[in-house]
Amino acid sequence: MKVRVTEDYEEMSDVAAELALQQIRKKPDSVLGLTAGSSPLGLYQRLQAAYREGTVDFSRVRIFTLSEYIGLDETDEQSFAYYTRKHFCEGLNLAEENIYMPNGMADDIAQECARYGKAIEAAGGIDMMILGIGPNAHIGFNEPGPVFVPETHVVELSEATRAANARFFDNPADVPYWAVSMGMRDIMFARHILLLASGPGKTEALVLALGGDITPKAPASVLQLHRGAVVIADETAARRLPKELRGRR
Ligand code: GLP
């Protein structure tokens, strides 16, 4: 795992965009795993700009979203499906059949998790996973718990996560209690991982993830074991990381 500390959000997004564009140019049928949230917005905008400028082609790129709330339809503005279409897919030449998302409205959610896991496998796994980090060091919706859950699964969201995500909802009580998330195996089998962290709200999460033991109580800590993971964090988010970690390979 490598840590790159940037001056601010904009530079974090530049660094991430450069690495993602390299990946897609090298392998035009790359499989991307995509997080939602505010952290990757700058990256997604830069990818859209590169496409508009004609310097990258998405026609063979496949995308898998990391997670989805249970009970929200893809037309619901708070769903991750809606977010991904609006902030990533729009303005890119992705083929509809290359867009994969878990269906949070499925009648049989266990079966839906199994279907999604198989689709990731059939695509040959994820080439590049784009991650954010929750304040409790969750990745995707892999919440702190007694074990790492390997496969796509149903998650009961923690109060900390519901509170952190309430800002997107008109009424905090509307934040769903349950979600579907890719598991740790799906994430750790990705060939490259970019984790983006910016701002004071992520300082403690990075200490939990990088400054201590590898433990399912801080799910992002497992990335310490990944050779192809790059944590791209701005100064504010990284300010409490031990010096020797900044710039470590
Ligand atoms: C949500 C998502 C995560 C995301 C996190 C951080 O809970 N499930 O995948 O990384 O929030 O979001 P933000 O980047 O908006 O801080």
Side-chain angles (χ1 to χ4, degrees), residues 130-145:
I130 310 296
L131 298 176
I133 185 166
N136 58 6
H138 75 238
I139 45 178
F141 269 137
N142 290 273
E143 292 280 39

Side-chain angles (χ1 to χ4, degrees), residues 118-232:
K118 284 199 191 100
I120 298 169
E121 234 178 272
I126 307 286
D127 289 306
M128 179 171 274
M129 184 74 82
I130 310 296
L131 298 176
I133 185 166
N136 58 6
H138 75 238
I139 45 178
F141 269 137
N142 290 273
E143 292 280 39
V147 291
F148 291 117
V149 183
E151 65 282 341
T152 302
H153 59 293
V154 172
V155 187
E156 181 172 12
L157 299 178
S158 68
E159 269 321 300
T161 296
R162 290 189 67 249
N165 289 0
R167 67 190 192 279
F168 298 114
F169 290 77
D170 291 338
N171 180 353
D174 292 343
V175 184
Y177 286 86
W178 299 89
V180 175
S181 181
M182 276 189 203
M184 285 304 199
R185 189 183 49 213
D186 302 322
I187 294 174
M188 288 299 279
F189 279 15
R191 287 170 271 282
H192 302 275
I193 298 177
L194 307 183
L195 183 141
L196 310 183
S198 165
K202 300 299 165 72
T203 309
E204 186 53 35
L206 284 189
V207 172
L208 286 171
L210 308 182
D213 292 344
I214 296 165
T215 162
K217 293 183 185 122
S221 63
V222 76
L223 299 179
Q224 294 180 39
L225 297 174
H226 197 290
R227 286 181 70 103
V230 187
V231 174
I232 310 169

Side-chain angles (χ1 to χ4, degrees), residues 25 43 69 92 97 117 133 161 185 190 195 198 235 246:
R25 287 176 186 137
L43 159 64
Y69 289 118
L92 296 180
E97 70 267 22
I133 185 166
T161 296
R185 189 183 49 213
L195 183 141
S198 165
E235 264 306 331
R246 297 146 153 266

